[in-house]
Amino acid sequence: MEKFSIYDLLGLLLPGFVLVYLCHIINSAYMIIPYTYDGSTLGAEIGIMFCMSLIAGAFLYAVNFYLVKNTWFNKLTGMYKEVGEIYYDFDNFPEDLNDIFNIQSNNWFKEAAFIPKNEMDNINNEAKKEIYKLQDKFYSKAYYQLEYLEKISVPKTFQSFYFFFRQLATGLLLVIVLLFILSFISWFKVFNLHQPNFQIIPWLWFGLISTFLLSVSHARWYRSRMVFKLYWHYYIHLIQANHGNIGNF
Protein backbone atom coordinates (compact mmCIF):
# COMPACT_ATOMS: atom_id res chain seq x y z
CA MET A 1 0.00 0.00 0.00
CA GLU A 2 1.35 3.40 -0.93
CA LYS A 3 2.23 5.81 1.86
CA PHE A 4 0.18 8.90 2.57
CA SER A 5 1.52 11.92 0.73
CA ILE A 6 1.80 15.33 2.39
CA TYR A 7 -1.28 16.29 0.33
CA ASP A 8 -3.30 13.45 1.92
CA LEU A 9 -1.89 14.09 5.38
CA LEU A 10 -2.57 17.83 5.43
CA GLY A 11 -5.69 17.89 3.29
CA LEU A 12 -7.53 14.90 4.76
CA LEU A 13 -6.15 13.16 7.81
CA LEU A 14 -4.98 15.96 10.12
CA PRO A 15 -8.06 18.23 9.76
CA GLY A 16 -10.26 15.17 10.31
CA PHE A 17 -8.26 14.16 13.39
CA VAL A 18 -8.61 17.66 14.89
CA LEU A 19 -12.37 17.65 14.25
CA VAL A 20 -12.82 14.21 15.84
CA TYR A 21 -10.62 15.15 18.81
CA LEU A 22 -12.51 18.40 19.46
CA CYS A 23 -15.83 16.56 19.25
CA HIS A 24 -14.44 14.09 21.79
CA ILE A 25 -13.55 16.98 24.15
CA ILE A 26 -17.04 18.45 23.81
CA ASN A 27 -18.60 15.04 24.37
CA SER A 28 -16.50 14.61 27.53
CA ALA A 29 -17.72 18.00 28.79
CA TYR A 30 -21.43 17.53 28.07
CA MET A 31 -21.69 13.71 28.08
CA ILE A 32 -23.86 13.60 24.96
CA ILE A 33 -22.81 10.01 24.34
CA PRO A 34 -21.98 8.09 27.54
CA TYR A 35 -18.55 6.73 26.75
CA THR A 36 -15.44 6.08 28.82
CA TYR A 37 -12.06 4.79 27.73
CA ASP A 38 -10.28 2.34 30.03
CA GLY A 39 -7.20 1.69 27.84
CA SER A 40 -7.87 -2.04 27.48
CA THR A 41 -8.41 -1.95 23.70
CA LEU A 42 -5.70 0.46 22.56
CA GLY A 43 -5.22 -1.13 19.12
CA ALA A 44 -8.91 -1.01 18.29
CA GLU A 45 -9.16 2.55 19.60
CA ILE A 46 -6.30 3.71 17.33
CA GLY A 47 -7.86 1.97 14.32
CA ILE A 48 -11.27 3.51 14.96
CA MET A 49 -9.72 6.95 15.53
CA PHE A 50 -7.81 6.68 12.24
CA CYS A 51 -10.94 5.67 10.30
CA MET A 52 -13.08 8.36 11.89
CA SER A 53 -10.39 10.97 11.23
CA LEU A 54 -10.22 9.92 7.59
CA ILE A 55 -14.01 10.07 7.22
CA ALA A 56 -14.21 13.46 8.94
CA GLY A 57 -11.32 14.76 6.83
CA ALA A 58 -12.97 13.56 3.62
CA PHE A 59 -16.18 15.30 4.72
CA LEU A 60 -14.36 18.59 5.34
CA TYR A 61 -12.50 18.26 2.03
CA ALA A 62 -15.71 17.70 0.06
CA VAL A 63 -17.86 20.28 1.86
CA ASN A 64 -15.25 22.99 1.30
CA PHE A 65 -15.57 22.67 -2.46
CA TYR A 66 -19.27 23.38 -1.97
CA LEU A 67 -18.76 26.23 0.49
CA VAL A 68 -16.22 28.16 -1.62
CA LYS A 69 -18.96 28.64 -4.22
CA ASN A 70 -21.17 30.39 -1.65
CA THR A 71 -20.83 34.14 -1.28
CA TRP A 72 -21.78 34.17 2.42
CA PHE A 73 -18.98 31.76 3.34
CA ASN A 74 -16.35 33.70 1.40
CA LYS A 75 -17.49 36.97 2.97
CA LEU A 76 -17.27 35.36 6.41
CA THR A 77 -13.83 33.78 5.97
CA GLY A 78 -12.18 35.25 2.86
CA MET A 79 -10.33 31.96 2.37
CA TYR A 80 -11.19 31.76 -1.32
CA LYS A 81 -10.15 34.45 -3.74
CA GLU A 82 -10.31 34.37 -7.54
CA VAL A 83 -7.02 33.42 -9.18
CA GLY A 84 -7.23 36.58 -11.28
CA GLU A 85 -7.62 38.81 -8.23
CA ILE A 86 -4.61 37.18 -6.62
CA TYR A 87 -2.59 37.51 -9.82
CA TYR A 88 -3.09 41.26 -9.97
CA ASP A 89 -2.03 41.63 -6.35
CA PHE A 90 1.53 40.66 -7.32
CA ASP A 91 4.03 43.06 -8.81
CA ASN A 92 7.16 40.89 -8.92
CA PHE A 93 6.47 38.64 -11.91
CA PRO A 94 8.73 38.83 -15.00
CA GLU A 95 7.86 41.66 -17.38
CA ASP A 96 7.21 39.25 -20.26
CA LEU A 97 4.97 36.89 -18.25
CA ASN A 98 1.76 38.34 -19.71
CA ASP A 99 3.10 37.92 -23.25
CA ILE A 100 4.32 34.37 -22.64
CA PHE A 101 1.06 33.29 -20.99
CA ASN A 102 -1.07 34.97 -23.65
CA ILE A 103 0.62 32.97 -26.39
CA GLN A 104 -0.42 29.82 -24.54
CA SER A 105 -3.85 31.26 -23.75
CA ASN A 106 -4.48 32.02 -27.43
CA ASN A 107 -3.33 28.53 -28.27
CA TRP A 108 -5.84 27.04 -25.81
CA PHE A 109 -8.79 29.43 -25.84
CA LYS A 110 -8.28 31.61 -28.94
CA GLU A 111 -8.12 34.72 -26.75
CA ALA A 112 -5.72 36.42 -24.34
CA ALA A 113 -6.36 35.85 -20.64
CA PHE A 114 -3.76 38.23 -19.22
CA ILE A 115 -3.92 41.98 -19.70
CA PRO A 116 -1.87 44.71 -17.96
CA LYS A 117 -3.04 45.83 -14.54
CA ASN A 118 -3.61 49.43 -15.64
CA GLU A 119 -6.02 48.20 -18.33
CA MET A 120 -7.87 46.01 -15.82
CA ASP A 121 -8.48 49.07 -13.66
CA ASN A 122 -10.32 50.76 -16.53
CA ILE A 123 -12.77 48.02 -17.53
CA ASN A 124 -16.21 47.31 -16.06
CA ASN A 125 -16.98 44.57 -13.55
CA GLU A 126 -18.67 42.26 -16.06
CA ALA A 127 -15.62 42.30 -18.31
CA LYS A 128 -13.41 41.64 -15.29
CA LYS A 129 -15.50 38.60 -14.36
CA GLU A 130 -15.04 37.16 -17.84
CA ILE A 131 -11.28 37.68 -17.67
CA TYR A 132 -11.15 36.09 -14.23
CA LYS A 133 -13.08 33.07 -15.54
CA LEU A 134 -10.63 32.71 -18.42
CA GLN A 135 -7.67 33.02 -16.06
CA ASP A 136 -9.21 30.38 -13.80
CA LYS A 137 -9.44 28.01 -16.77
CA PHE A 138 -5.84 28.83 -17.68
CA TYR A 139 -4.70 28.16 -14.11
CA SER A 140 -6.48 24.78 -14.04
CA LYS A 141 -4.93 23.65 -17.34
CA ALA A 142 -1.49 24.82 -16.22
CA TYR A 143 -1.93 22.96 -12.91
CA TYR A 144 -2.88 19.64 -14.50
CA GLN A 145 -0.19 19.97 -17.12
CA LEU A 146 2.51 20.49 -14.51
CA GLU A 147 1.05 17.66 -12.45
CA TYR A 148 1.19 15.30 -15.44
CA LEU A 149 4.79 16.33 -16.09
CA GLU A 150 5.63 15.92 -12.37
CA LYS A 151 6.81 19.52 -12.08
CA ILE A 152 4.33 20.68 -9.46
CA SER A 153 5.83 19.53 -6.14
CA VAL A 154 6.47 23.03 -4.73
CA PRO A 155 3.09 24.60 -5.71
CA LYS A 156 1.32 21.45 -4.51
CA THR A 157 3.02 21.69 -1.12
CA PHE A 158 1.64 25.22 -0.70
CA GLN A 159 -1.74 23.92 -1.88
CA SER A 160 -1.60 21.17 0.74
CA PHE A 161 -1.04 23.70 3.52
CA TYR A 162 -3.83 25.85 2.08
CA PHE A 163 -6.20 22.88 2.18
CA PHE A 164 -5.09 22.04 5.73
CA PHE A 165 -5.85 25.49 7.09
CA ARG A 166 -9.03 25.80 5.01
CA GLN A 167 -10.37 22.44 6.20
CA LEU A 168 -9.24 23.19 9.76
CA ALA A 169 -11.04 26.56 9.77
CA THR A 170 -14.24 24.93 8.48
CA GLY A 171 -14.00 22.18 11.10
CA LEU A 172 -13.47 24.74 13.86
CA LEU A 173 -16.44 26.74 12.63
CA LEU A 174 -18.61 23.62 12.85
CA VAL A 175 -17.35 22.94 16.38
CA ILE A 176 -18.00 26.56 17.43
CA VAL A 177 -21.60 26.28 16.20
CA LEU A 178 -22.00 22.92 17.96
CA LEU A 179 -20.58 24.31 21.20
CA PHE A 180 -22.92 27.30 21.04
CA ILE A 181 -25.95 25.05 20.59
CA LEU A 182 -24.90 22.73 23.43
CA SER A 183 -24.14 25.65 25.74
CA PHE A 184 -27.60 27.06 25.07
CA ILE A 185 -29.32 23.71 25.62
CA SER A 186 -27.39 22.88 28.80
CA TRP A 187 -28.00 26.37 30.25
CA PHE A 188 -31.75 25.84 30.04
CA LYS A 189 -31.38 22.20 31.11
CA VAL A 190 -32.96 20.82 27.96
CA PHE A 191 -32.50 17.06 27.32
CA ASN A 192 -30.80 16.83 30.76
CA LEU A 193 -27.33 17.37 29.34
CA HIS A 194 -24.43 17.12 31.76
CA GLN A 195 -23.40 20.49 33.21
CA PRO A 196 -19.72 21.01 32.31
CA ASN A 197 -17.11 22.80 34.40
CA PHE A 198 -17.89 26.38 33.44
CA GLN A 199 -14.39 27.50 34.40
CA ILE A 200 -13.07 25.51 31.44
CA ILE A 201 -15.68 26.58 28.85
CA PRO A 202 -14.39 30.19 28.42
CA TRP A 203 -10.91 28.84 27.70
CA LEU A 204 -12.39 26.41 25.20
CA TRP A 205 -14.19 29.30 23.48
CA PHE A 206 -10.99 31.35 23.44
CA GLY A 207 -8.97 28.47 21.99
CA LEU A 208 -11.51 27.67 19.28
CA ILE A 209 -12.06 31.27 18.13
CA SER A 210 -8.37 32.25 18.19
CA THR A 211 -7.37 29.08 16.31
CA PHE A 212 -10.16 29.69 13.79
CA LEU A 213 -8.95 33.24 13.10
CA LEU A 214 -5.34 32.07 12.76
CA SER A 215 -6.37 29.27 10.40
CA VAL A 216 -8.34 31.69 8.22
CA SER A 217 -5.41 34.10 7.92
CA HIS A 218 -2.99 31.25 7.16
CA ALA A 219 -5.35 29.82 4.53
CA ARG A 220 -5.50 33.21 2.78
CA TRP A 221 -1.71 33.50 2.74
CA TYR A 222 -1.09 29.96 1.49
CA ARG A 223 -3.63 30.33 -1.32
CA SER A 224 -1.87 33.48 -2.48
CA ARG A 225 1.56 31.80 -2.40
CA MET A 226 0.15 28.72 -4.12
CA VAL A 227 -0.92 30.81 -7.11
CA PHE A 228 2.37 32.71 -7.10
CA LYS A 229 4.46 29.52 -7.10
CA LEU A 230 2.41 27.79 -9.78
CA TYR A 231 2.60 30.74 -12.17
CA TRP A 232 6.35 31.02 -11.69
CA HIS A 233 6.80 27.27 -12.28
CA TYR A 234 4.60 27.34 -15.35
CA TYR A 235 6.41 30.37 -16.76
CA ILE A 236 9.79 28.63 -16.36
CA HIS A 237 8.35 25.42 -17.83
CA LEU A 238 7.13 27.24 -20.95
CA ILE A 239 10.45 29.02 -21.42
CA GLN A 240 12.47 25.81 -21.05
CA ALA A 241 10.14 23.51 -22.97
CA ASN A 242 9.52 25.71 -26.00
CA HIS A 243 12.58 27.91 -26.41
CA GLY A 244 10.40 30.75 -27.67
CA ASN A 245 8.09 28.55 -29.75
CA ILE A 246 5.35 28.36 -27.14
CA GLY A 247 2.44 28.25 -29.51
CA ASN A 248 3.37 24.75 -30.61
CA PHE A 249 3.34 23.32 -27.08
Side-chain angles (χ1 to χ4, degrees), residues 20 56 116 133 149 223 243:
V20 171
K133 285 180 182 178
L149 296 171
R223 178 164 175 79
H243 300 290

Side-chain angles (χ1 to χ4, degrees), residues 118-151:
N118 61 328
E119 292 184 24
M120 279 292 288
D121 293 337
N122 295 322
I123 64 177
N124 60 53
N125 289 333
E126 288 301 318
K128 282 183 181 179
K129 288 180 181 179
E130 292 303 315
I131 291 172
Y132 287 158
K133 285 180 182 178
L134 191 60
Q135 288 183 2
D136 188 64
K137 289 168 64 177
F138 183 95
Y139 180 89
S140 296
K141 290 202 71 167
Y143 178 96
Y144 290 118
Q145 197 172 82
L146 289 176
E147 186 176 48
Y148 175 76
L149 296 171
E150 298 182 347
K151 295 182 177 182

Side-chain angles (χ1 to χ4, degrees), residues 168-220:
L168 182 60
T170 303
L172 288 166
L173 188 60
L174 290 174
V175 172
I176 288 170
V177 172
L178 176 63
L179 183 60
F180 176 81
I181 294 171
L182 291 174
S183 298
F184 180 82
I185 291 174
S186 66
W187 182 265
F188 290 97
K189 298 181 180 181
V190 182
F191 302 124
N192 295 319
L193 283 180
H194 175 74
Q195 294 290 323
N197 184 343
F198 285 102
Q199 292 181 340
I200 298 175
I201 296 301
W203 288 105
L204 183 58
W205 274 108
F206 175 78
L208 288 172
I209 293 173
S210 59
T211 307
F212 169 76
L213 294 175
L214 285 171
S215 298
V216 165
S217 64
H218 279 67
R220 293 172 182 173

Side-chain angles (χ1 to χ4, degrees), residues 29-93:
Y30 289 95
M31 292 301 294
I32 306 165
I33 302 173
Y35 166 81
T36 55
Y37 172 59
D38 58 10
S40 61
T41 56
L42 180 61
E45 295 287 337
I46 293 174
I48 293 171
M49 187 68 175
F50 179 84
C51 291
M52 291 181 67
S53 298
L54 194 57
I55 293 169
F59 165 75
L60 292 175
Y61 184 90
V63 78
N64 265 284
F65 282 98
Y66 167 77
L67 290 175
V68 295
K69 297 178 181 179
N70 286 269
T71 305
W72 68 267
F73 185 76
N74 290 324
K75 285 184 176 179
L76 176 65
T77 65
M79 292 190 296
Y80 179 82
K81 195 175 182 180
E82 295 281 357
V83 169
E85 292 183 66
I86 295 173
Y87 173 73
Y88 287 108
D89 286 340
F90 297 121
D91 56 8
N92 49 352
F93 280 128

